[in-house]
Amino acid sequence: MDVERPKLEGTVAVGEGRRLGFAEFGSAQGRTVFWLHGTPGARRQVPIEARAFAERNHIRLIGIDRPGIGSSTPHIYENVLAFSDDLRIVADTLGVDRMAIVGLSGGGPYTLAAAYALRERVVAAAVLGGVAPVVGPEAIDSNLMKLGTFVAPALQTAGVPIGVAVSAAIRVVRPFASPIIDLYGRLSPEADRRLLARPEFKAMFLDDLLNGSRRQISAPFSDIVVFTRDWGFRVSDVKVPVRWWHGDTDHIIPIEHGLHMVDLLPDAQFHHLLGESHLGGLGASEEILTTVLELWDQD
């Protein structure tokens, strides 16, 4: 299945010789929703259904490359909060005043950081199976992030070279990318397997992976380093309305982490995705966008 290219792609200078890549879908004149990809992922990791919904409902839907993927310059943030400074510059450059933000998995912490730091501009936030803090007073135990904490010191210095090597390896196996996605699906929980078997989702993931990894793929390693640090803000200080979607068979971020986060957030609601796993939120993209628009209307 062919995936239509974004309506607009480019990069924005965010200071210190760095740039962030972006991809725009939907209506250029509509209300803006930033869509923050997972770990791994890049600016085109936006479901086809979300793109079509944005077109029909006059939404300006913008995906952002984090540093070290796609067209973005490699960089490790001091903490999760530091990303919000870059997002502010991207929004200013693209002429965005008010916005909603959606973040999948590793995009979740950055979504909450922007909601905290840009609260005068962010009207609503949605998190889909997001990562929770593993250090500080709001931390929750995580086997996956224990491993991340162990490898983080090495990734801080070796993440970029590893990313270049991984990018080169992906170029070699590019002709086999589709069967590799199929293999990943077969090894995934049933719910994610069903999602990846849908042609439009598989095509979106392939397009995002192959496009985002052409030059580099150090962003996932940088994410791990940053997630194992104090985030630079407290989740309980995020006053913007947050809606959280989480599958109860999530094998990467347990549903208990999502419930923990919603308990911490002052204005949050939990959407239980019955029988869904880590990618389940992507299958609910129309519901998610509808929800953030309703919150926008109430603002």
Side-chain angles (χ1 to χ4, degrees):
M1 177 179 175
D2 291 331
V3 178
E4 186 176 351
R5 290 178 59 112
K7 288 192 171 182
L8 177 67
E9 285 187 291
T11 63
V12 173
V14 292
E16 302 176 5
R18 297 188 297 110
R19 305 188 74 86
L20 290 187
F22 71 91
E24 189 169 312
F25 309 91
S27 171
Q29 305 303 319
R31 291 183 285 183
T32 299
V33 178
F34 283 103
W35 192 285
L36 306 185
H37 61 77
T39 304
R43 64 182 181 270
R44 294 188 183 182
Q45 195 186 72
V46 180
I48 303 298
E49 291 176 356
R51 304 179 192 188
F53 183 90
E55 188 73 42
R56 293 194 308 271
N57 292 277
H58 308 291
I59 300 169
R60 189 181 184 190
L61 191 57
I62 303 175
I64 303 290
D65 285 329
R66 284 199 290 281
I69 194 72
S71 300
S72 292
T73 312
H75 175 72
I76 298 179
Y77 291 117
E78 178 182 355
N79 51 37
V80 171
L81 181 62
F83 166 79
S84 59
D85 292 331
D86 283 356
L87 184 62
R88 187 194 305 271
I89 294 171
V90 172
D92 289 345
T93 303
L94 298 181
V96 176
D97 181 20
R98 306 183 78 209
M99 68 195 83
I101 308 177
V102 179
L104 167 70
S105 186
Y110 299 107
T111 296
L112 296 177
Y116 168 77
L118 308 179
R119 50 192 171 274
E120 74 284 359
R121 299 172 67 172
V122 177
V123 297
V127 178
L128 324 179
V131 173
V134 293
V135 297
E138 299 177 330
I140 186 170
D141 192 44
S142 168
N143 290 331
L144 181 62
M145 292 314 296
K146 280 181 181 177
L147 175 62
T149 301
F150 177 75
V151 300
L155 292 179
Q156 188 160 349
T157 55
V160 171
I162 293 172
V164 171
V166 171
S167 178
I170 291 175
R171 287 196 296 271
V172 171
V173 302
R174 185 184 183 99
F176 311 102
S178 181
I180 289 172
I181 290 284
D182 292 338
L183 176 61
Y184 175 78
R186 286 196 292 271
L187 297 174
S188 298
E190 180 183 354
D192 283 357
R193 186 161 61 248
R194 289 196 308 268
L195 195 66
L196 291 169
R198 291 169 55 178
E200 73 276 17
F201 273 94
K202 179 180 176 181
M204 181 273 290
F205 278 114
L206 281 171
D207 178 61
D208 182 63
L209 171 67
L210 297 177
N211 179 270
S213 65
R214 284 186 301 171
R215 302 176 184 175
Q216 56 184 334
I217 190 168
S218 63
F221 310 117
S222 300
D223 279 350
I224 292 170
V225 173
V226 176
F227 294 160
T228 58
R229 298 172 176 172
D230 186 284
W231 285 7
F233 68 101
R234 294 290 168 256
V235 174
S236 55
D237 290 332
V238 177
K239 309 301 184 185
V240 168
V242 178
R243 301 297 178 259
W244 193 290
W245 280 260
H246 215 120
D248 55 14
T249 65
D250 194 324
H251 61 305
I252 297 177
I253 309 294
I255 191 171
E256 290 78 16
H257 287 214
L259 293 168
H260 169 73
M261 294 292 278
V262 169
D263 283 343
L264 291 171
L265 290 159
D267 183 357
Q269 291 180 9
F270 189 82
H271 295 257
H272 184 163
L273 296 172
L274 187 64
E276 294 292 345
S277 189
H278 192 59
L279 302 178
L282 294 179
S285 59
E286 290 192 7
E287 174 190 338
I288 290 159
L289 290 173
T290 298
T291 300
V292 297
L293 290 179
E294 289 173 351
L295 289 168
W296 198 316
D297 290 336
Q298 296 167 15
D299 184 66

